[in-house]
Every structure is written in C-alpha cells, then in structure tokens.
Amino acid sequence: MVKLKKDATTEEKILAAAQKIFVKKGMAGARMQEIADEAGINKAMLHYYFRNKEMLFEMIFRQSAQKLFPRLNIIFESDAPLFEKIEKFVSEYIDVIRENPYLPMFVLGEMNRNPEGFYKKMKYEFDFPKPDRFLQQIKKDAKEGKIKPIRPPQLLMNIISGTIFPFMARPMFQMHIGLSDAQFMEFIDQRKTEYARFIIDAIKK
Amino acid sequence: MVKLKKDATTEEKILAAAQKIFVKKGMAGARMQEIADEAGINKAMLHYYFRNKEMLFEMIFRQSAQKLFPRLNIIFESDAPLFEKIEKFVSEYIDVIRENPYLPMFVLGEMNRNPEGFYKKMKYEFDFPKPDRFLQQIKKDAKEGKIKPIRPPQLLMNIISGTIFPFMARPMFQMHIGLSDAQFMEFIDQRKTEYARFIIDAIKK
DNA sequence: GTCTATAATTTGATAGAC
DNA sequence: GTCTATCAAATTATAGAC
C-alpha cells in the first residue's frame, strides 16, 4: 500500500494509489480493483469520488504531465547563459525523473496512443512553458559565434533525449550492458554532470 | 487491413495484423477482435493458430525485439573506425525506426512493465549483439588520445538516446515546438546526418 | 481450415444497507 | 462516506457444424 500521512483523506489515498498503478501499468493495463487494494479501500469508493475509470485516469495523467513538463521551465524561463542553463537542467531533471522513473514512459506512452485527445485538453489545462526564448537564445549564441552553428530544435532534442531516455531504456540497457541496479544508479549519477559536459563539448567553439 | 502479398497464408495475415495492433496498443490495450478484423478473418482463427492472446503476444514481442535490437550490430560488430561507425549507425537506425515508429515505445514499454519476464526469455531466444567490442574501441580510442576521455557506456547511451528518443517523444515535441507532421519528418531527416556530427563534435579533440 | 454461435471470465459500474 | 453484493458490458476462449 501507498504510504501517506496517517490522516490522509480517502480522496488523497485514492489519488496516490491511482498514480502508482496507472503510471506503472498504463490506462489499459490498470485495474480498478488493484487501485482500490493499493489505497486500502473498496472499489465502490473509486466511483463515488471520481465517477469512472476514465475520469480518474485523466486526473492522474494531468497530474503526471504537470510533474514532468513544468520542470522544463528550468531551461525555458531563466536568464542564465546557455551553458549554465544546460548544466542546471540536466542535473535537476535527472533528479526529478529519478524520483519518478516510470513517469516519462507513462506520459509519453499515453500521448502516443491518443495524441489528438491530449493535445486539445492539455493546451488549455495548464499553460505550457514555451520554448521560444530558449530557441532564440541558441540562435543568437550561434549567430554571435559563441557556439558552433546548430539548429535550435535539434539541440533542444539532444538535451532532452539524453536526460530522459536512459530511464525509459533502463531494462534493455541493464540487460545488454550487464549492469546491476546499483551500477545503473551509479551510471545515472555520473550522467548528472557528464551529460551536460558532453553537450557543451559538442557545441562550444 | 494490412497489405500483404495476395497468397499470404492465414498465419502470415494474423502475424501482420497482430504486429500492427499490439505495437500500437500494447498487450493490455490490444483486442483480439481488432486483430481478427485487421487480418480479415475471424477471432476463432487466432486461437486455432496461436492458442491464446498471451502466446500471440509473445510471438509478436519477440519479432519486434528482433527488428529493433539486431540492428545494433551495425555499431557493435563492424571493424570500421569509430566516427564512421557512429555516422552509419545513426543514419541507418533512424531509417529503421522511421519505418516502424511505434516499435521502440512498444518494446521498451512492455519491457518496463515486465522486466524479469523478458530477461529470462530473450536471453536464450536469440543471441544478442554484445556491445563489448564497441565499448573496448571507445576505451582504446580515448586512451590513445584519438577522442576526449569519456566513459564508454555513457557514449553508447548518448548515441542511442538521440537516435530513438525523438520518435518516442514525437507527440510531445510537435505540440511544444509546434511542428506539423511534415516538419517533423524534415526534422528527422536533418537528424540523420546532424546528430552523428553532434556526437563527433562532442568527442573529437 | 474456417466459420457462427455461445460459453466463461474478467472487469467496470451500480444498488442499497448501514 | 463506506461497505457488500450484484449487475452489465466487454473480452477471451471454446464447441461444433461445414
């Protein structure tokens, strides 16, 4: 069962349990009974509080997407110089995901299965951090010769790929390279500083 | 319906249909009825040929993993110099995934949901390309001063991340950056050459 | 081998007592 | 608000004719 403060309301218990189950199994794979068990209550309560599975799922998905995306603000809405921004983003974002390792697979997986659906909803739900400023900064730095020429969206994708993907590919990677769980954690720890350095080496003149 | 040569056997039709549906919806989200419809036959045939959903799924998963992984041989089992290898891998692997854009999400997603299960099976099913030689090559090139010092597994992860992740993050990326489908394809096309260059810039002295 | 019809099971949802 | 018991729908699986 999910651990929460002892006086957690039933609604909180349900949300915590649903988060755990949905994120691990996805919308299609999650079972209402399993969520109820995880929350330590019975199935009827789920419907009492959230009407049906779809509404409960949407609540969790929204909550999850918010956990995952707004962190992009680190990189999008700061005034720091480019290299500093990259270092901070990689390090902090890896920490966020380490706390919620299944989150990217869940959010991106569900978005892949139902792209239109989320586009409409999320567009209005919470204001997305807009990458425009960051892309402009890259363009400017390149034009001024501070970094090698590179298309801004490509660089943005490179930064995010190397930060998130290792968690999504974890089972494959551990199996291929032959890493224990502890060794994988060490690998991730190294990455917190080394990946930003790698990026910077690629673009600095 | 899936397009196949006209004289495809029923078994082939089923496999092609199941591949399409499972890869898009995952084990939990796929419906036997939908697979049957896609194959242009009836549900009973699925059970006649593959006994049950789980066995059909395993067949497809194995087939999918084989499509995805053995391509790693490009990078693992060649004698070419490092930079050449990287260029070839990025370009060819992007092409493979472009033909099967849902494949990585499917394979990695199912592996995440059931890591132990696949570890045992796949270990014996087909011999995995072993990364040892490639990792050694990186180590050697670094020691000889041909490239900047870098931990080999980190470099390997960087190469793969930037190649595969863009496809998994496609809906999120198009939404955030505001790209049309055509623009995304163009983005991927650029990537075929530019990402290898990016990597090489990061490690060359 | 292939089909239709149907059984069996799983699972989301509700009724109604407390 | 919370529970038990139950229903209804969806979905996997099988029986049996051709």
Side-chain angles (χ1 to χ4, degrees):
Chain A
M1 270 185 28
V2 183
K3 278 185 196 166
L4 287 176
K5 55 183 193 297
K6 210 179 172 188
D7 60 336
T9 66
T10 299
E11 189 169 340
E12 286 167 341
K13 284 188 214 161
I14 293 175
L15 284 171
Q19 164 88 17
K20 181 173 167 186
I21 303 297
F22 273 129
V23 166
K24 199 179 337 186
K25 311 230 167 150
M27 167 64 176
R31 296 288 159 251
M32 295 295 266
Q33 185 60 59
E34 197 178 356
I35 293 172
D37 294 345
E38 180 72 35
I41 49 135
N42 69 70
K43 237 185 349 172
M45 288 283 91
L46 302 181
H47 292 88
Y48 178 79
Y49 279 96
F50 297 94
R51 186 135 192 112
N52 58 35
K53 186 182 179 183
E54 200 180 321
M55 288 188 185
L56 180 53
F57 170 78
E58 283 198 15
M59 200 72 97
I60 297 303
F61 180 82
R62 212 166 286 152
Q63 196 175 287
S64 300
Q66 271 167 339
K67 248 188 226 167
L68 197 65
F69 292 138
R71 296 298 180 138
L72 294 169
N73 282 321
I74 300 167
I75 200 164
F76 287 161
E77 292 181 0
S78 138
D79 275 321
L82 187 58
F83 292 176
E84 196 181 313
K85 244 185 222 186
I86 292 173
E87 281 165 357
K88 193 172 178 191
F89 173 78
V90 170
S91 172
E92 290 190 16
Y93 211 61
I94 285 181
D95 277 338
V96 172
I97 303 180
R98 185 160 38 184
E99 296 303 310
N100 308 275
Y102 290 98
L103 217 53
M105 185 66 82
F106 171 62
V107 174
L108 297 182
E110 298 294 340
M111 282 186 84
N112 261 286
R113 290 198 170 74
N114 185 359
E116 326 77 32
F118 297 122
Y119 181 78
K120 280 182 288 186
K121 275 175 204 156
M122 295 177 32
K123 193 91 181 187
Y124 301 100
E125 290 291 335
F126 40 87
D127 45 2
F128 269 108
K130 275 289 153 204
D132 304 10
R133 274 182 70 202
F134 181 65
L135 297 175
Q136 281 299 325
Q137 181 180 26
I138 297 168
K139 196 174 170 184
K140 183 160 170 276
D141 278 14
K143 182 168 276 175
E144 292 175 0
K146 288 186 189 168
I147 60 171
K148 289 190 189 128
I150 186 168
R151 290 179 223 257
Q154 296 285 350
L155 177 55
L156 177 59
M157 179 62 90
N158 296 350
I159 296 169
I160 297 177
S161 299
T163 307
I164 296 183
F165 184 78
F167 293 92
M168 302 179 80
R170 177 176 178 172
M172 174 193 81
F173 191 65
Q174 285 193 229
M175 180 170 139
H176 269 80
I177 302 283
L179 294 184
S180 68
D181 289 348
Q183 286 171 320
F184 181 79
M185 285 310 168
E186 199 189 326
F187 174 84
I188 292 296
D189 257 333
Q190 294 164 0
R191 222 167 158 74
K192 280 189 61 179
T193 56
E194 291 181 17
Y195 188 60
R197 182 202 189 79
F198 180 86
I199 297 279
I200 291 169
D201 277 346
I203 58 177
K204 75 156 183 264
K205 279 201 155 173
Chain B
M1 272 188 23
V2 184
K3 277 186 194 165
L4 287 176
K5 57 182 192 292
K6 210 178 173 189
D7 60 337
T9 66
T10 299
E11 189 171 338
E12 285 168 341
K13 283 188 213 161
I14 294 175
L15 284 171
Q19 163 88 17
K20 181 172 167 186
I21 302 299
F22 272 129
V23 166
K24 199 179 336 184
K25 311 228 167 151
M27 165 64 177
R31 295 289 160 253
M32 295 294 266
Q33 184 62 57
E34 198 179 354
I35 294 172
D37 294 347
E38 180 74 34
I41 48 137
N42 69 71
K43 239 186 345 173
M45 288 283 90
L46 302 182
H47 291 89
Y48 178 78
Y49 278 96
F50 296 95
R51 183 132 193 115
N52 59 33
K53 187 182 179 184
E54 201 181 321
M55 287 188 186
L56 180 54
F57 170 78
E58 283 199 16
M59 201 71 97
I60 297 302
F61 180 82
R62 213 165 287 152
Q63 195 175 286
S64 300
Q66 272 167 340
K67 249 188 224 166
L68 197 66
F69 291 138
R71 295 300 180 140
L72 293 170
N73 281 319
I74 299 168
I75 201 165
F76 288 160
E77 293 183 358
S78 136
D79 275 321
L82 186 59
F83 291 176
E84 196 181 313
K85 246 185 219 186
I86 292 172
E87 282 165 357
K88 193 172 180 192
F89 173 78
V90 170
S91 172
E92 290 191 15
Y93 211 62
I94 285 180
D95 279 337
V96 171
I97 303 180
R98 185 160 39 184
E99 298 301 312
N100 308 275
Y102 290 98
L103 216 53
M105 185 66 81
F106 171 62
V107 174
L108 296 182
E110 298 293 342
M111 281 186 84
N112 261 287
R113 289 197 171 76
N114 185 359
E116 327 77 31
F118 297 123
Y119 181 79
K120 281 182 288 186
K121 276 174 203 156
M122 294 176 35
K123 194 92 181 185
Y124 301 101
E125 289 293 332
F126 40 88
D127 45 1
F128 269 109
K130 275 287 152 207
D132 303 11
R133 275 182 70 201
F134 181 66
L135 297 175
Q136 281 300 324
Q137 180 179 26
I138 296 167
K139 197 175 171 187
K140 183 159 170 276
D141 279 13
K143 183 168 277 178
E144 293 176 359
K146 289 186 188 166
I147 59 171
K148 291 192 188 126
I150 186 168
R151 287 179 225 255
Q154 296 285 351
L155 177 55
L156 176 59
M157 179 62 90
N158 296 350
I159 296 170
I160 297 178
S161 298
T163 306
I164 296 184
F165 184 79
F167 292 92
M168 302 179 80
R170 178 176 177 171
M172 175 194 81
F173 190 66
Q174 285 192 228
M175 180 171 140
H176 268 81
I177 303 282
L179 294 184
S180 68
D181 288 349
Q183 286 172 320
F184 181 79
M185 285 310 168
E186 200 188 327
F187 174 84
I188 291 295
D189 257 333
Q190 294 165 0
R191 223 168 156 73
K192 280 189 61 179
T193 55
E194 291 180 18
Y195 188 60
R197 183 201 188 81
F198 180 87
I199 297 278
I200 290 169
D201 277 346
I203 59 176
K204 76 156 182 265
K205 281 199 155 174

